[in-house]
Amino acid sequence: MNVNGYGKSETQTKLAVATQNLVKTYGDFQAVDGLNLKVPMGGVYGLLGPNGAGKSTTMKLLLGLTSPTSGQMWMLGQQVGDKRGANQRIQPGRVGSMIEGPSFYPGLSGLDNCRMVADYLGLPTSAATQVLAQVGLKGHEGKKAKGYSLGMKQRLGVAMALISRPELLLLDEPTNGLDAEAVVEVREMIMNLAASAGVTVIISSHILSEIEKMAPVVGIIASGRLLYQGSLDNLREQGHINIRVSDSKSAADVLSQNGMAYRFIPQTDELQISECADCRIAGLVSQMVDRNIAVYRVASERKSLEEAFLELVESPDSQKSQDGQGDPVDCMKQHSMAMKYGSVPPYSGNMQTVANQSVPGFQSNLNNAQISIAGGVR
């Protein structure tokens, strides 16, 4: 993969998030290893990988919850995480997040939790009521958060991240531990946010089927390394064509004369070639028939999405980092047109230097957890 050619215009107007050779080590353990992400503006981007792949660490790096060992990061057109302090911090409210579970005060109601965030950001208290209705918690505003179901707690976490109407939303395993009905509800909520509000959503998960339903563009990581970036459709399309004929040697000569690399499979007496256009296959078959070679079978065999995914993540050391066919930005645009999302305007605007502030006492799985609205991302 090559992000060394990132220009200023690309990071500012096309990509919501970009990283270049991002590394994070803890002692001898390398949690993130040379990560090069390209997250287009608008829509849903899936960060997919097994548990322990480095997904949560990557999100923490982007939010300033931990510092990179080396490498560079950009969010919403601005460089972040610069140890030299030369860059400005992103204004609170422009980025929302829910990392390793929702963070809230369990003794407060859902409404009071959201009002507290609204007050912190200088927003009207009416924003709390509106965002709770947006995530499907209308009618449960007065109930204490500790009495919420797991699905309702997830919704509250998303509501607190959304109250400022952020341009970018980072959700770490938002459907983890939910029952089937709640999974569907959270998934539809996330997709509606991207479709109707123009929010760029980065969602991490270890569940392939969930990412497949939400994200047109994915980054697949394992052992901290990016193994694939592009559309899931292109990952699925990697396959081959098997040809069974009466005279394999003569058929192989036809393939060679046409510049086609092939592999002979003795167990089935078949010739195997890479996927190619239908018109080219038709031409090859025609030439074989002209030479009195009987063509018994031509079969296109593609790996299932699950097979392709498992092949990548089960042997990361033998895999080279790779881009999917097509630019992630173009993949997202094509999906947006297909879903009638409408256009998302490029980022523009002035940054303001603000203090990195957090609110203590949140119920969270993070030590020194940062407020869900990611105030003052560095």
Side-chain angles (χ1 to χ4, degrees):
M1 301 180 61
N2 179 17
V3 295
N4 294 323
Y6 276 171
K8 182 178 180 181
S9 60
E10 182 176 10
T11 56
Q12 288 189 345
T13 62
K14 290 185 178 180
L15 299 177
V17 170
T19 67
Q20 182 174 343
N21 300 324
L22 188 62
V23 173
K24 177 63 180 179
T25 58
Y26 296 97
D28 295 331
F29 176 67
Q30 198 155 34
V32 175
D33 184 6
L35 205 62
N36 295 322
L37 293 179
K38 291 182 179 181
V39 180
M41 286 280 194
V44 182
Y45 180 99
L47 194 59
L48 179 63
N51 291 326
K55 304 184 298 296
S56 296
T57 301
T58 299
M59 288 191 167
K60 292 176 188 177
L61 286 166
L62 291 170
L63 292 168
L65 296 176
T66 188
S67 299
T69 303
S70 62
Q72 295 176 294
M73 302 180 289
W74 293 265
M75 294 175 66
L76 302 175
Q78 181 181 345
Q79 188 170 2
V80 295
D82 188 345
K83 291 183 178 180
R84 296 169 299 180
N87 58 297
Q88 296 174 316
R89 296 175 179 177
I90 292 180
Q91 183 179 356
R94 295 192 66 208
V95 179
S97 68
M98 187 175 72
I99 308 298
E100 293 186 349
S103 300
F104 51 82
Y105 286 108
L108 296 180
S109 67
L111 182 60
D112 285 340
N113 268 287
C114 288
R115 281 175 173 170
M116 179 195 62
V117 178
D119 182 64
Y120 166 74
L121 291 170
L123 301 172
T125 55
S126 60
T129 304
Q130 293 169 359
V131 77
L132 286 170
Q134 185 179 4
V135 300
L137 286 178
K138 187 175 182 179
H140 303 280
E141 303 96 325
K143 187 175 181 180
K144 288 187 177 181
K146 64 183 178 182
Y148 279 1
S149 67
L150 184 56
M152 292 170 70
K153 289 176 180 177
Q154 294 289 87
R155 289 174 179 272
L156 177 59
V158 173
M160 294 170 72
L162 282 176
I163 196 167
S164 63
R165 298 184 179 180
E167 299 163 56
L168 175 63
L169 183 62
L170 280 69
L171 301 177
D172 186 24
E173 303 270 6
T175 61
N176 198 23
L178 301 183
D179 59 37
E181 183 178 0
V183 166
V184 173
E185 291 174 355
V186 171
R187 181 201 309 149
E188 290 178 348
M189 176 185 66
I190 292 169
M191 295 176 69
N192 287 337
L193 284 171
S196 61
V199 180
T200 301
V201 182
I202 302 177
I203 178 171
S204 74
S205 180
H206 63 280
I207 303 173
L208 174 62
S209 59
E210 279 306 304
I211 293 294
E212 183 182 10
K213 292 181 177 72
M214 285 188 281
V217 179
V218 300
I220 297 176
I221 66 173
S223 300
R225 291 165 49 199
L226 185 65
L227 305 178
Y228 175 89
Q229 185 165 233
S231 75
L232 282 174
D233 286 339
N234 286 332
L235 180 63
R236 182 190 287 112
E237 285 172 2
Q238 296 174 0
H240 54 264
I241 295 172
N242 288 343
I243 305 173
R244 185 180 299 167
V245 294
S246 59
D247 185 346
S248 297
K249 185 177 183 304
S250 298
D253 290 339
V254 172
L255 295 176
S256 297
Q257 291 165 10
N258 283 271
M260 293 289 296
Y262 66 88
R263 183 167 73 95
F264 178 65
I265 305 175
Q267 296 90 338
T268 58
D269 196 28
E270 290 179 330
L271 295 166
Q272 189 177 93
I273 62 175
S274 298
E275 281 284 355
C276 59
D278 290 346
C279 58
R280 191 164 190 193
I281 287 294
L284 293 170
V285 170
S286 178
Q287 291 179 46
M288 291 178 189
V289 172
D290 288 343
R291 297 190 185 190
N292 296 318
I293 303 170
V295 179
Y296 301 138
R297 182 175 181 267
V298 178
S300 177
E301 297 184 1
R302 290 184 172 91
K303 300 171 187 174
S304 69
L305 189 55
E306 186 178 53
E307 288 171 336
F309 172 68
L310 290 175
E311 185 177 295
L312 279 173
V313 301
E314 287 180 353
S315 303
D317 291 336
S318 64
Q319 298 289 340
K320 294 182 179 179
S321 296
Q322 55 181 298
D323 275 319
Q325 298 296 319
D327 186 88
V329 176
D330 294 332
C331 292
M332 192 73 83
K333 284 181 179 177
Q334 292 168 9
H335 183 267
S336 297
M337 291 177 65
M339 298 296 291
K340 298 182 180 178
Y341 276 7
S343 61
V344 179
Y347 156 74
S348 62
N350 296 321
M351 299 292 181
Q352 298 180 19
T353 303
V354 296
N356 186 22
Q357 304 179 39
S358 61
V359 177
F362 271 41
Q363 176 174 306
S364 173
N365 295 326
L366 292 172
N367 293 325
N368 302 319
Q370 188 167 343
I371 191 168
S372 294
I373 49 85
V377 177
R378 301 187 201 206

